[in-house]
Amino acid sequence: MSVSAVLLLAAGCAGGPGGGNAKPGTSEAVTPAVPLPMKATPRPATWTGADHKAHRLRITPTRLARGSDSDLSHIQLDDDLKGQVPYYLTISYTNTGRGTVTGADPARNFSVNGADGQAAEPVSLFRTNPLATDSGLPPECREKGKDHLAAGATAALCQIFMLPKGQRPATVSYRDDGGDTLLWPVGGGKDGDATGGVLPAGKPADGITQDSRSRPVSLRITPKGVRTGSLADLSRFDLDADEKKLVPYYVTMQYRNSGTYDLLPSMSDGVALRTVGGRTVQKLALIDIGGPGVGRCPEAVPHSMVKPNGTVTECSIHLLPKGDAPAAIVFDGEGEGTEQVVWRASAAGGK
């Protein structure tokens, strides 16, 4: 999970370094948060404590609720978070091991994710007045957790996440220190609520790239699907120990050169795969000069310059943790004025 955004909290004293000024606390009426349907299923997990040892936990996201814009009205939000909607994730965690866990903060491994795989932004609040007694946190999200957790003990904490308006949570995920991803589906959204500008799977869309002389070239891009691969397909390549624990997925895209300049067949360099666990996974770079490549995921067909009105099909490889799955395909073009294009991921056949 990315580093939490830092907010400046006014707790009886305005002003302070790093975040600008915050509004003094007020006595505004509290708008109750709206709980979202989510099955609170406990899962075994691994947490690396302050002693750098792996500890066994049982973790449960017990509640996810949609807050109100007014909940954070007394806080100076970063510009990129203004206008976004707060969501409050409450989790319970139990030390199922034998020793005491120190430095326990499993919220850092949790993520709230939209239908397009975009992870919500976690936020942390810091008071400007150390003598203030009011935490400044919304009443819906005041569970603080415990840093030290004895064997068999349980604690609860709440983390604030911010999502843009028009986007809704689709999953809650936990990035286990053991390497896997744990997922909890979130329901309750109406059709279209969680699209967030994501195109349907396979829908052609326009993009922009550059030729070898940095001149803009327009593209017509059609996703052909996402397939689950096999590490056996990559046996010729030198993968490190961590990569060998992951699952390869093959993303196939067709590009039509709708511009006026020739293109190298390398548009897949701009392709990423977002996951239901909130990750954005870039293309795996494999060194295979003059080699046969990966048979089930050829880099380009045909492997030649793409002339105006010509088409090429390219395949990129993306490594995902076990337990995670594709949510969306992202294309980032090159050059000034380019915009990101996002499609829902669609399976195109199994192994």
Side-chain angles (χ1 to χ4, degrees), residues 2 6 296 324-325:
S2 61
V6 177
R296 295 190 59 232
D324 213 337

Side-chain angles (χ1 to χ4, degrees), residues 179-180 226-232 234 239 242-250 273 275 281 284 317-326 351:
D180 293 352
V226 181
R227 292 171 293 150
T228 308
S230 168
L231 285 176
L234 311 179
L239 302 181
D242 289 335
E243 289 173 331
K244 290 179 180 178
K245 298 176 183 178
L246 304 176
V247 179
Y249 284 83
Y250 306 147
L273 196 60
T275 76
V281 182
L284 176 66
I317 302 172
H318 307 260
L319 298 179
L320 274 59
K322 293 179 180 178
D324 213 337
K351 298 180 181 180

Side-chain angles (χ1 to χ4, degrees), residues 162-284:
M162 304 292 287
L163 272 176
K165 291 181 179 178
Q167 182 66 284
R168 288 181 61 95
T171 62
V172 169
S173 62
Y174 181 82
R175 300 185 183 186
D176 192 79
D177 283 350
D180 293 352
T181 297
L182 308 180
L183 293 171
W184 293 263
V186 178
K190 298 178 181 179
D191 291 343
D193 281 350
T195 58
V198 181
L199 297 171
K203 181 178 178 63
D206 294 321
I208 298 176
T209 189
Q210 292 181 333
D211 71 352
S212 58
R213 296 172 60 181
S214 299
R215 295 176 295 190
V217 180
S218 57
L219 296 169
R220 189 66 169 169
I221 310 168
T222 306
K224 294 298 183 180
V226 181
R227 292 171 293 150
T228 308
S230 168
L231 285 176
D233 298 340
L234 311 179
S235 59
R236 297 177 44 249
F237 301 94
D238 187 19
L239 302 181
D240 62 35
D242 289 335
E243 289 173 331
K244 290 179 180 178
K245 298 176 183 178
L246 304 176
V247 179
Y249 284 83
Y250 306 147
V251 179
T252 303
M253 309 279 279
Q254 184 186 77
Y255 305 91
R256 179 169 65 84
N257 182 347
S258 51
T260 56
Y261 305 110
D262 292 358
L263 288 172
L264 287 168
S266 60
M267 279 71 78
S268 65
D269 292 344
V271 174
L273 196 60
R274 285 186 191 159
T275 76
V276 295
R279 289 176 168 85
T280 298
V281 182
Q282 304 298 328
K283 171 185 175 181
L284 176 66

Side-chain angles (χ1 to χ4, degrees), residues 24-229:
T26 65
S27 58
E28 295 178 0
V30 174
T31 302
V34 179
L36 302 180
M38 179 184 64
K39 189 174 182 180
T41 305
R43 301 277 181 82
T46 303
W47 172 261
T48 303
D51 55 4
H52 304 292
K53 295 180 180 179
H55 295 271
R56 290 178 296 171
L57 299 180
R58 182 173 64 248
I59 58 174
T60 311
T62 57
R63 185 174 187 260
L64 179 65
R66 185 186 191 277
S68 170
D69 296 348
S70 63
D71 294 350
L72 306 181
S73 61
H74 62 297
I75 294 169
Q76 182 65 49
L77 291 170
D78 292 343
D79 288 343
D80 59 341
L81 295 179
K82 291 179 179 178
Q84 296 196 17
V85 179
Y87 287 85
Y88 308 131
L89 177 66
T90 304
I91 67 170
S92 170
Y93 54 104
T94 301
N95 180 0
T96 57
R98 295 181 178 179
T100 297
V101 180
T102 58
D105 186 16
R108 293 189 310 183
N109 285 17
F110 270 94
S111 179
V112 174
N113 317 297
D116 63 348
Q118 183 68 52
E121 185 72 22
V123 298
S124 296
L125 308 182
F126 293 92
R127 71 172 78 242
T128 60
N129 182 358
L131 300 179
T133 58
D134 183 4
S135 70
L137 288 167
E140 299 278 1
C141 195
R142 290 189 174 177
E143 294 85 352
K144 297 180 180 179
K146 292 181 180 179
D147 180 73
H148 287 61
L149 203 63
T154 297
L157 59 83
C158 181
Q159 174 68 53
I160 303 174
F161 292 89
M162 304 292 287
L163 272 176
K165 291 181 179 178
Q167 182 66 284
R168 288 181 61 95
T171 62
V172 169
S173 62
Y174 181 82
R175 300 185 183 186
D176 192 79
D177 283 350
D180 293 352
T181 297
L182 308 180
L183 293 171
W184 293 263
V186 178
K190 298 178 181 179
D191 291 343
D193 281 350
T195 58
V198 181
L199 297 171
K203 181 178 178 63
D206 294 321
I208 298 176
T209 189
Q210 292 181 333
D211 71 352
S212 58
R213 296 172 60 181
S214 299
R215 295 176 295 190
V217 180
S218 57
L219 296 169
R220 189 66 169 169
I221 310 168
T222 306
K224 294 298 183 180
V226 181
R227 292 171 293 150
T228 308

